[in-house]
């Protein structure tokens, strides 16, 4: 077998392994939402207690993402990927076997730890295995699979709960994880970041700051935004993140050098990602309930009717990756974000207690195309906006911001929904949903504006190294 054939085979295996692992981690963000009533029936607990089966995963996932990336850079990306996958798979089995609510929440938190180690390393492992000329298409497929997981979580969770049992939303991960473990050991090449060192102070500041902010966002709708718990948590989180920024400026080898944000490509794509996930997560969270609570669909029926949105990445994202290779990532990402905003605005116009599926369909299709155009080029822009030895940290930072954006989106849009409407009647639900969707559309449109600040293809955007002793070199703005 020729060396070229061997390299091609290694790239294919890397794409399969990292895409499936990314699917598992992304799926578990929202897969539990449609199963909460069944979990409550089996394990008891108030509904706001059950929300921790969602937020325990989100919290640990968000706050440990950058630390997981740093561990991979230091001790070996393949090795830590296998460690994270093992933790995630074992915790999934523990969640399925949980005899009570507290055990389930603890297992979900451990799942988040495994996902935080595994998820940021999927992109760095894929980048190392795929030739530069083919990375756009590879990122497109990876983005399609991850985008499908994020958007179809309620469908998969609802279908398994309705037709089998809620435990199977966790059992699903076990055979996938067990199949990936030997493949990862045999088919992925080991890689490190040259001279990588663990930044303990930066890790503690970033993790503590993100924990405080995400915890406040999760508890805000339950305890009240003016409660002492939420205000103290938010204040402490912001203070710690301020310390993390100062550390990133002053330290000699910080986990996330703040000079990276002097790159318009890095700053622009991260701002766009945060805002995109804020608008998208919040909208999916509410629209899946609208289809069930107001229009009367079962969880499976609602998920099937959302397929023009949720299934579109499988068709469009590979094309988006190809386009990003040809014309650059900025126009593709910006177009996708503006289309996603149009889709949400269209939905806000047509939403009603008796809305027909035909009236909703254009909004679903436009949103699906927009989301698909965003995912693949966004990954490419993140990885190409930093030096090769900083790609693990860049991936971790981008994924952490996406998770924070998702938590913020659910919290903010749920608060708007509660202030303007409620669950009492179908009309009350629509009265709350409509302004929330308008806010979601506006936020995603802002993401499109942020994407326009990314330099065009072929321009350079290299931040000055400052006082850091890290290797100098130009950053590529894709």
């Amino acid at each position: 077998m020729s060396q070229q054939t061997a390299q091609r085979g290694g790239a294919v295996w890397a794409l399969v392994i990292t895409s499936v692992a990314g699917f598992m981690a992304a799926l578990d963000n929202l897969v539990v939402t449609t199963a909460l009533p069944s979990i409550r029936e089996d394990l008891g607990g108030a509904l706001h207690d059950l929300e921790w089966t969602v937020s325990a995963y989100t919290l640990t996932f968000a706050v440990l993402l950058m630390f997981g990336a740093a561990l991979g850079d230091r001790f070996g990306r393949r090795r830590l990927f296998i460690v994270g996958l093992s933790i995630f798979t074992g915790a999934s089995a523990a969640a399925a076997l949980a005899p009570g609510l507290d055990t389930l929440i603890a297992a979900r938190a451990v799942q988040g730890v495994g996902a935080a180690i595994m998820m940021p390393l999927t992109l760095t492992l894929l980048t190392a295995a795929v030739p530069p000329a083919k990375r756009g298409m590879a990122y497109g497929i990876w983005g399609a699979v991850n985008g499908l997981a994020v958007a179809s979580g309620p469908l998969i969770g609802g279908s398994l709960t309705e037709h089998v049992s809620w435990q199977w939303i966790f059992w699903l991960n076990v055979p996938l994880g067990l199949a990936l473990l030997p493949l990862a050991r045999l088919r992925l090449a080991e890689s490190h970041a040259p001279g990588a060192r663990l930044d303990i102070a930066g890790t503690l500041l970033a993790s503590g700051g993100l924990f405080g902010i995400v915890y406040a966002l999760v508890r805000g709708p339950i305890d009240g935004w003016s409660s002492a718990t939420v205000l103290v948590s938010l204040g402490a989180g912001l203070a710690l993140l301020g310390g993390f920024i100062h550390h990133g400026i002053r330290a000699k080898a910080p986990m996330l050098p703040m000079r990276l944000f002097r790159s318009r490509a890095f700053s622009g794509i991260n701002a766009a990602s945060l805002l995109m996930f804020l608008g998208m997560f919040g909208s999916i969270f509410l629209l899946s309930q609208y289809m069930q609570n107001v229009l009367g669909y079962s969880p499976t029926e609602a998920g099937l009717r959302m397929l023009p949105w949720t299934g579109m990445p499988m068709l469009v994202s590979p094309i988006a990756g190809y386009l990003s290779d040809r014309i650059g990532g900025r126009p593709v990402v910006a177009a996708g974000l503006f289309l996603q905003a149009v889709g949400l605005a269209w939905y806000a116009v047509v939403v009603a207690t008796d809305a027909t599926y035909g009236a909703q369909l254009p909004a679903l299709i436009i949103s699906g195309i927009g989301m698909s155009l965003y995912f693949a080029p966004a990954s490419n822009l993140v990885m190409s906006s930093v030096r090769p030895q900083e790609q693990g940290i860049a991936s971790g930072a981008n994924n952490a911001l996406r998770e924070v954006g998702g938590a913020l989106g659910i919290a903010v849009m749920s608060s708007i929904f509660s202030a303007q409407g409620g669950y009492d009647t179908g009309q009350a639900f629509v009265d709350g949903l409509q302004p929330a969707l308008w806010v979601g559309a506006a936020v995603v449109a802002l993401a499109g504006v942020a994407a326009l600040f990314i330099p065009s293809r072929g321009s350079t955007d290299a931040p000055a190294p400052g006082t850091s002793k890290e290797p100098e070199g130009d950053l590529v703005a894709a």
Side-chain angles (χ1 to χ4, degrees), residues 165-390:
S165 71
W166 66 263
Q167 284 89 350
W168 275 93
I169 63 178
F170 302 116
W171 281 127
L172 177 65
N173 294 323
V174 176
L176 290 175
L178 292 177
L180 287 183
L181 284 170
L183 289 176
R185 177 66 182 85
L186 296 172
R187 299 294 183 178
L188 293 179
E190 185 61 280
S191 64
H192 300 75
R197 289 182 289 178
L198 288 180
D199 177 13
I200 301 300
T203 298
L204 293 175
L205 287 168
S207 298
L210 287 174
F211 181 89
I213 291 173
V214 175
Y215 183 86
L217 295 176
V218 170
R219 296 302 302 179
I222 302 168
D223 296 340
W225 292 103
S226 60
S227 69
T229 300
V230 171
L231 292 178
V232 169
S233 178
L234 186 61
L238 290 173
L240 288 171
L241 278 189
F244 174 70
I245 292 171
H246 183 268
H247 176 78
I249 295 172
R250 297 297 182 186
K252 290 185 177 180
M255 66 181 295
L256 180 59
M258 288 298 116
R259 65 175 177 78
L260 294 181
F261 288 95
R262 298 177 192 171
S263 162
R264 285 192 294 135
F266 188 79
S267 297
I269 191 56
N270 278 290
S273 295
L274 174 71
L275 294 170
M276 163 65 174
F277 271 66
L278 194 159
M280 186 187 70
F281 255 64
S283 299
I284 291 175
F285 181 76
L286 291 175
L287 285 171
S288 63
Q289 297 181 68
Y290 163 71
M291 286 192 166
Q292 295 176 63
N293 294 341
V294 178
L295 300 183
Y297 299 130
S298 70
T300 304
E301 291 171 340
L304 288 173
R305 283 164 174 78
M306 291 186 75
L307 277 179
W309 184 359
T310 61
M312 196 64 72
M314 294 301 294
L315 300 176
V316 179
S317 282
I319 300 173
Y322 172 78
L323 288 175
S324 72
D325 285 340
R326 300 286 293 180
I327 64 176
R330 180 180 69 169
V332 182
V333 164
L337 291 168
F338 286 125
L339 281 174
Q340 177 74 83
V342 170
L344 292 177
W346 190 309
Y347 225 126
V349 171
V350 303
V351 68
T353 57
D354 57 350
T356 65
Y357 186 61
Q360 301 171 62
L361 190 57
L364 293 168
I365 294 174
I366 293 171
S367 295
I369 294 173
M371 182 174 68
S372 305
L373 290 176
Y374 159 81
F375 272 117
S379 302
N380 202 346
L381 286 169
V382 169
M383 301 305 281
S384 62
S385 67
V386 297
R387 300 177 178 90
Q389 65 268 27
E390 295 167 331

Side-chain angles (χ1 to χ4, degrees), residues 8 41 44 59 69 81 88 103 117 132-133 150 158 160 214 218 228 251 255 272 287 318 334 349 356 419 428-429:
R8 186 182 302 116
E41 184 178 344
L59 282 170
F81 175 81
F88 183 85
T103 308
I117 298 171
V150 170
L160 289 173
V214 175
V218 170
M255 66 181 295
L287 285 171
V349 171
T356 65
F429 196 102

